[in-house]
Amino acid sequence: MSSDSPTSGFVAFVGAGPGDPNLLTLRAAELLAKADAVVLGDEAHRPLLRHCREGVEVVEDDLVKRAKHGQLVVRLCEGDPMLFSSITEEVAACAAAEVDFEIVPGVPPATAVLTYAGIPAASGVPEFRIVDAAQEQDWASHAACPGTLVIYNGIGDAVAIGKALIAGGKPDTTPVAVSSGGTTTEQYTVVSSLGRLQPDLKHAGFAEPALIVVGEAVGLRDKLSWFETKPLFGWRVLVPRTKEQSRSLSEQLVAYGAVPEEVPTISVEPPRTPQQMDRAIKGLVTGRYEWVAFTSANAVKAVREKFEEYGLDARAFAGLKVAAVGDATALALVEFGVKPDLLPSGEQSSEGLVAEWPPYDSMLDPINRVLLPRADISTDTLVAGLTELGWECDDVTAYRTVRAAPPPAPIREAIKGGGFDAVLFTSSSTVRNLVGIAGKPHNVTVIAVIGPQTAKTAEEFGLRVDVMADKPSASALAAAVAEYGAKQRQAALAAGDTPRRPSQNRRGARRRVR
């Protein structure tokens, strides 16, 4: 059928890919965005609903009936819908009912999981064979495969399949890889040989979906593995920040292979009385200030919201000098349309800002007043420093930070029980608030802090600080944790040990051989 959507309803059988939600095709995302109803097929596909419009229905059946009523129904299918598919009857039902349908290919696990495991399945071999162990197979004929053999649905019979391949003439030394949770941060791969499958898989704890890969290509995994060797692969990392602040940090952690869990510890709210901010914005527009100093992205957001309330935009900053305490604050200003005039080149803090702030000079500066829109709990370091330099400061409460509600019980239990591999503290208040709403992190959890003041607060609460960023930014903090994880991994490998996540070192943690 045409790629143009019909005027009547239709059913789209869409390949959901191998597991990583980012491996969805553009056509699949386009159809999900237009869908009236979605059949998940598997609960693991739920993250793909982020492509859907608000109000989409998640249903279990009635594809034909819904399409007959004019709905676009997306049926998500594991991997590629036409590879070992179970949708043949559903497609036939659409055809019989004269309902238009489309089948959208997806990235199949047979290639994607191997790529993520560092196994070049069809490189330099004459054959790449995929078989479904759920159907009756002639393993003797498969033993003659001169290339790579990929087996679906065989994990329960892996040892028996290995014996059958050996009986069919395959050498017992033939390399084998077994991988589950493919392309996700739960991916877990064991490399063995046909003759050693039984002892090597005995305590592995594999479950479907999993793939068995047989062939010499498995031997290249040591050189080509790129996914499971990421510095924080599989680490469950607690990000105790506000939702707005944690997004870019979480994206960076995902790039390092981690599984970030965002737990708000601070809720950002408007001031109890808005009059002070109202006067400040009016003064900013009427030329009361020479400088405006921003000490957080939240302060930028608060001023931006006030501007929008009054119908103003970044042009109101014309003629003003603008300072930002650090890179994240500067980025928020640039997104607002304002380029900072002053940004600390050294330590990104109030002290660093004061160190580079020019003293007031009556010959050069027509106005000696600085606007400081800040949080209600800010320290006086900046005000004291600027006053000493001859400036007058209007220290205005732009927003309030209050302690967030406690996270759900499973999160609190994971924090106290060692279920997290690391926790990233981006301020002293995140330390105080996390401990206040959820309790102290377990002693196996890596404690990472953004700077010396946060480290001091963590130690006051009895926490051992393992990692500190080389400069006070969330990005630098994530990079420091990744470097720590990489060193831990390298040390384990150098000692001949299997790299383990911090949470696997707590008492009773399940042990896996990687």
Side-chain angles (χ1 to χ4, degrees):
M1 61 167 282
S2 164
S3 62
D4 296 329
S5 297
T7 53
S8 59
F10 80 108
V11 177
F13 296 92
V14 170
D20 181 348
N22 292 315
L23 294 180
L24 199 66
T25 65
L26 291 173
R27 179 58 177 161
E30 179 188 357
L31 288 167
L32 283 168
K34 296 176 180 176
D36 299 300
V38 176
V39 179
L40 286 177
D42 190 301
E43 193 61 28
H45 298 152
R46 189 167 289 277
L48 299 180
L49 294 177
R50 71 173 189 238
H51 297 285
C52 298
R53 57 186 173 77
E54 196 172 337
V56 69
E57 285 188 85
V58 180
V59 298
E60 293 185 5
D61 48 27
D62 293 333
L63 281 74
V64 171
K65 183 178 177 182
R66 287 175 177 275
K68 286 276 191 182
H69 282 85
Q71 288 193 342
L72 164 53
V73 184
V74 170
R75 161 73 156 92
L76 289 171
C77 310
E78 191 77 34
D80 186 315
M82 299 300 276
L83 184 63
F84 300 138
S85 173
S86 60
I87 62 165
T88 309
E89 291 182 7
E90 295 174 57
V91 174
C94 289
E98 298 185 341
V99 166
D100 285 333
F101 63 89
E102 176 178 347
I103 302 175
V104 181
V107 178
T111 54
V113 173
L114 271 63
T115 298
Y116 272 54
I119 300 170
S123 176
V125 294
E127 186 175 350
F128 175 54
R129 187 181 300 187
I130 308 171
V131 300
D132 182 4
Q135 302 177 39
E136 189 171 342
Q137 297 290 341
D138 178 4
W139 295 109
S141 69
H142 294 318
C145 174
T148 304
L149 182 64
V150 177
I151 304 167
Y152 276 57
N153 300 314
I155 193 63
D157 299 313
V159 174
I161 290 170
K163 289 179 179 177
L165 289 171
I166 293 170
K170 206 81 167 167
D172 61 1
T173 55
T174 304
V176 180
V178 182
S179 192
S180 67
T183 75
T184 74
T185 48
E186 293 296 314
Q187 181 164 313
Y188 164 44
T189 304
V190 167
V191 174
S192 181
S193 63
L194 287 178
R196 285 198 51 83
L197 276 176
Q198 186 161 3
D200 287 349
L201 298 184
K202 188 175 182 181
H203 300 294
F206 279 114
E208 297 289 1
L211 289 182
I212 302 171
V213 188
V214 182
E216 296 303 322
V218 172
L220 294 172
R221 173 176 154 82
D222 284 346
K223 293 180 180 177
L224 301 180
S225 182
W226 63 274
F227 184 57
E228 292 174 61
T229 53
K230 287 189 173 189
L232 298 177
F233 182 77
W235 280 43
R236 189 182 180 194
V237 179
L238 180 65
V239 184
R241 307 186 78 197
T242 61
K243 280 286 184 185
E244 293 79 6
Q245 291 173 313
S246 58
R247 190 176 299 114
S248 59
L249 177 55
S250 292
E251 288 170 359
Q252 188 176 351
L253 289 168
V254 168
Y256 293 135
V259 185
E261 188 108 35
E262 298 173 2
V263 177
T265 57
I266 300 171
S267 177
V268 176
E269 298 182 1
R272 286 194 175 89
T273 54
Q275 290 86 351
Q276 196 182 25
M277 267 291 278
D278 290 335
R279 286 195 299 271
I281 298 300
K282 183 179 178 182
L284 190 150
V285 175
T286 57
R288 176 179 170 82
Y289 302 107
E290 179 78 6
W291 281 90
V292 183
F294 290 97
T295 56
S296 72
N298 280 325
V300 177
K301 181 171 180 279
V303 170
R304 188 171 183 172
E305 287 173 352
K306 273 292 179 185
F307 269 39
E308 289 167 358
E309 190 180 313
Y310 286 112
L312 300 169
D313 58 28
R315 288 174 293 185
F317 282 95
L320 278 163
K321 294 172 186 170
V322 179
V325 74
D327 294 333
T329 306
L331 179 61
L333 280 166
V334 170
E335 288 173 352
F336 186 15
V338 179
K339 185 179 179 182
D341 299 284
L342 179 63
L343 182 68
S345 57
E347 183 182 335
Q348 296 192 344
S349 64
S350 294
E351 291 87 347
L353 195 56
V354 168
E356 297 185 36
W357 197 289
Y360 172 68
D361 186 331
S362 58
M363 299 294 289
L364 299 174
D365 303 306
I367 305 165
N368 75 333
R369 195 170 292 275
V370 179
L371 173 61
L372 297 175
R374 302 194 296 159
D376 58 328
I377 57 171
S378 295
T379 63
D380 296 327
T381 304
L382 188 55
V383 174
L386 294 182
T387 302
E388 195 171 320
L389 289 168
W391 296 94
E392 287 189 31
C393 298
D394 279 2
D395 196 10
V396 175
T397 299
Y399 62 95
R400 293 184 299 125
T401 54
V402 299
R403 183 178 289 179
I411 298 292
R412 298 198 303 273
E413 289 162 10
I415 290 169
K416 291 184 282 190
F420 283 99
D421 296 290
V423 55
L424 275 55
F425 288 118
T426 54
S427 66
S428 291
S429 57
T430 56
V431 178
R432 288 189 291 268
N433 290 342
L434 182 72
V435 173
I437 65 176
K440 284 171 57 175
H442 193 279
N443 61 13
V444 299
T445 305
V446 172
I447 304 298
V449 299
I450 202 164
Q453 187 58 50
T454 307
K456 183 180 176 184
T457 304
E459 287 163 355
E460 286 171 358
F461 278 88
L463 299 176
R464 176 201 67 249
V465 174
D466 302 293
V467 178
M468 186 163 67
D470 58 3
K471 63 178 182 178
S473 75
S475 177
L477 179 57
V481 176
E483 185 180 353
Y484 177 90
K487 286 180 178 177
Q488 294 291 103
R489 176 182 175 80
Q490 289 161 5
L493 292 172
D497 297 330
T498 301
R500 294 167 57 78
R501 299 190 304 275
S503 61
Q504 292 175 311
N505 294 322
R506 70 189 192 279
R507 185 178 297 175
R510 182 176 171 186
R511 292 180 178 268
R512 271 184 168 182
V513 178
R514 284 192 181 269

XYZ file of all heavy atoms in Angstrom, residues 232 235-238 420-425 441-449 464-467 480-481 484-485 488 501-503:
258
model
N 30.688 2.656 32.498
C 29.663 2.483 33.535
C 28.598 1.502 33.069
O 27.433 1.606 33.460
C 29.019 3.840 33.870
C 29.942 4.920 34.433
C 29.167 6.220 34.654
C 30.601 4.463 35.736
N 25.657 0.117 35.219
C 25.601 0.758 36.540
C 24.246 1.441 36.716
O 23.789 2.189 35.840
C 26.698 1.816 36.664
C 28.063 1.295 36.970
C 28.664 0.202 36.423
C 29.030 1.880 37.852
N 29.931 0.065 36.907
C 30.181 1.078 37.791
C 29.026 2.996 38.671
C 31.330 1.366 38.536
C 30.171 3.287 39.413
C 31.298 2.468 39.351
N 23.644 1.204 37.837
C 22.407 1.912 38.192
C 22.818 3.143 39.001
O 23.364 3.014 40.106
C 21.503 0.996 39.013
C 20.111 1.562 39.250
C 19.291 0.610 40.102
N 17.954 1.134 40.344
C 17.128 0.657 41.270
N 17.497 -0.359 42.028
N 15.938 1.195 41.434
N 22.592 4.319 38.418
C 23.108 5.560 39.004
C 21.960 6.453 39.451
O 21.061 6.771 38.663
C 24.000 6.313 38.001
C 24.520 7.607 38.609
C 25.172 5.430 37.567
N 22.000 6.853 40.704
C 20.986 7.750 41.256
C 21.362 9.193 40.954
O 22.479 9.631 41.221
C 20.882 7.541 42.769
C 19.865 8.408 43.513
C 18.445 8.077 43.085
C 20.008 8.223 45.016
N 21.894 0.705 44.301
C 22.477 1.654 43.354
C 23.995 1.485 43.346
O 24.612 1.270 44.388
C 22.116 3.091 43.727
C 20.714 3.474 43.361
C 19.705 3.462 44.311
C 20.403 3.821 42.057
C 18.397 3.798 43.969
C 19.107 4.166 41.701
C 18.104 4.152 42.645
N 24.575 1.631 42.155
C 26.026 1.526 42.037
C 26.717 2.845 42.370
O 27.851 2.858 42.846
C 26.393 1.091 40.615
C 25.859 -0.293 40.304
O 26.381 -1.254 40.881
O 24.900 -0.406 39.523
N 26.039 3.951 42.085
C 26.618 5.265 42.369
C 25.505 6.269 42.604
O 24.384 6.091 42.127
C 27.499 5.737 41.216
N 25.834 7.321 43.360
C 24.916 8.446 43.530
C 25.710 9.715 43.263
O 26.849 9.853 43.713
C 24.257 8.455 44.928
C 25.294 8.442 46.033
C 23.332 9.654 45.085
N 25.125 10.614 42.470
C 25.811 11.847 42.089
C 25.198 13.032 42.830
O 24.026 13.356 42.622
C 25.692 12.078 40.573
C 26.733 11.386 39.675
C 26.774 9.891 39.906
C 26.449 11.687 38.207
N 25.984 13.649 43.700
C 25.507 14.812 44.447
C 26.015 16.082 43.771
O 27.223 16.291 43.639
C 26.003 14.757 45.893
C 25.316 13.704 46.720
C 26.043 12.649 47.267
C 23.957 13.760 46.957
C 25.417 11.672 48.043
C 23.313 12.795 47.732
C 24.046 11.757 48.276
N 22.812 6.455 51.588
C 23.189 5.396 50.655
C 24.046 4.332 51.330
O 24.804 4.620 52.257
C 24.000 6.138 49.585
C 23.529 7.555 49.672
C 23.227 7.785 51.127
N 23.931 3.100 50.860
C 24.685 1.955 51.365
C 26.183 2.177 51.158
O 26.597 2.896 50.242
C 24.226 0.702 50.601
C 24.676 -0.586 51.193
N 25.934 -1.103 50.989
C 24.028 -1.483 51.977
C 26.042 -2.269 51.606
N 24.901 -2.527 52.221
N 27.000 1.550 51.981
C 28.444 1.821 51.910
C 29.125 1.222 50.670
O 30.284 1.530 50.399
C 29.161 1.363 53.193
C 29.016 -0.128 53.448
O 28.595 -0.879 52.587
N 29.380 -0.558 54.646
N 28.431 0.342 49.897
C 29.054 -0.127 48.650
C 28.820 0.863 47.507
O 29.478 0.796 46.467
C 28.523 -1.518 48.208
C 28.807 -2.566 49.252
C 27.050 -1.474 47.838
N 27.898 1.790 47.692
C 27.552 2.738 46.636
C 28.643 3.789 46.492
O 29.111 4.364 47.478
C 26.214 3.434 46.965
O 25.210 2.449 47.177
C 25.775 4.340 45.825
N 29.068 4.030 45.254
C 30.078 5.052 44.983
C 29.446 6.430 45.178
O 28.410 6.740 44.591
C 30.609 4.915 43.540
C 31.518 6.091 43.181
C 31.369 3.596 43.387
N 30.065 7.244 46.010
C 29.573 8.598 46.285
C 30.396 9.579 45.465
O 31.617 9.677 45.640
C 29.678 8.942 47.789
C 28.932 7.896 48.648
C 29.137 10.344 48.045
C 27.453 7.805 48.400
N 29.713 10.293 44.567
C 30.392 11.270 43.709
C 29.832 12.656 43.979
O 28.610 12.827 44.057
C 30.188 10.898 42.241
N 30.704 13.641 44.125
C 30.274 15.000 44.482
C 30.839 16.017 43.490
O 31.866 15.788 42.846
C 30.712 15.377 45.915
C 30.103 14.435 46.933
C 32.243 15.372 46.028
N 31.307 8.318 52.668
C 32.674 8.267 52.139
C 32.652 8.808 50.710
O 31.974 8.284 49.835
C 33.147 6.817 52.124
C 34.518 6.580 51.518
C 34.682 5.120 51.079
N 33.796 4.800 49.962
C 32.737 3.986 50.052
N 32.411 3.419 51.193
N 31.980 3.749 48.986
N 33.402 9.857 50.457
C 33.425 10.447 49.118
C 34.463 9.717 48.265
O 35.644 9.680 48.602
C 33.738 11.953 49.180
C 33.905 12.527 47.772
C 32.629 12.691 49.922
N 34.022 9.129 47.149
C 34.905 8.363 46.269
C 35.372 9.160 45.058
O 36.471 8.941 44.549
C 34.175 7.105 45.763
C 33.690 6.219 46.890
O 34.543 5.653 47.592
O 32.466 6.112 47.085
N 34.519 10.063 44.593
C 34.808 10.780 43.347
C 34.439 12.252 43.525
O 33.382 12.568 44.077
C 33.988 10.209 42.165
C 34.260 10.985 40.885
C 34.275 8.728 41.955
N 33.843 12.284 35.586
C 34.710 11.784 36.666
C 34.263 10.407 37.134
O 35.093 9.532 37.418
C 34.698 12.768 37.832
N 32.957 10.188 37.209
C 32.445 8.870 37.605
C 32.783 7.837 36.536
O 33.158 6.700 36.842
C 30.919 8.921 37.850
C 30.381 7.537 38.170
C 30.591 9.872 38.998
N 36.318 6.877 36.912
C 36.441 5.986 38.079
C 36.025 4.566 37.693
O 36.719 3.594 38.020
C 35.557 6.519 39.206
C 35.527 5.657 40.450
C 36.443 5.848 41.492
C 34.569 4.653 40.600
C 36.413 5.063 42.635
C 34.522 3.860 41.743
C 35.450 4.073 42.755
O 35.409 3.287 43.886
N 34.886 4.441 36.990
C 34.402 3.127 36.578
C 35.375 2.421 35.654
O 35.609 1.211 35.767
N 38.306 1.097 37.668
C 37.925 -0.090 38.427
C 37.891 -1.321 37.521
O 38.345 -2.403 37.897
C 36.540 0.117 39.059
C 36.464 1.204 40.117
C 37.213 0.810 41.382
O 38.318 1.268 41.630
N 36.616 -0.037 42.190
N 30.137 -4.606 39.134
C 29.571 -3.313 39.524
C 29.598 -3.202 41.042
O 29.550 -4.226 41.744
C 28.131 -3.185 39.022
C 28.017 -3.263 37.507
C 26.624 -2.880 37.042
N 25.584 -3.682 37.644
C 25.188 -4.854 37.193
N 25.766 -5.392 36.126
N 24.217 -5.528 37.796
N 29.659 -1.990 41.599
C 29.694 -1.831 43.057
C 28.551 -2.554 43.761
O 28.756 -3.160 44.820
C 29.600 -0.317 43.241
C 30.253 0.234 42.024
C 29.860 -0.693 40.914
N 27.343 -2.508 43.186
C 26.191 -3.146 43.844
C 26.353 -4.656 43.930
O 25.722 -5.302 44.776
C 24.893 -2.806 43.096
O 24.937 -3.291 41.765
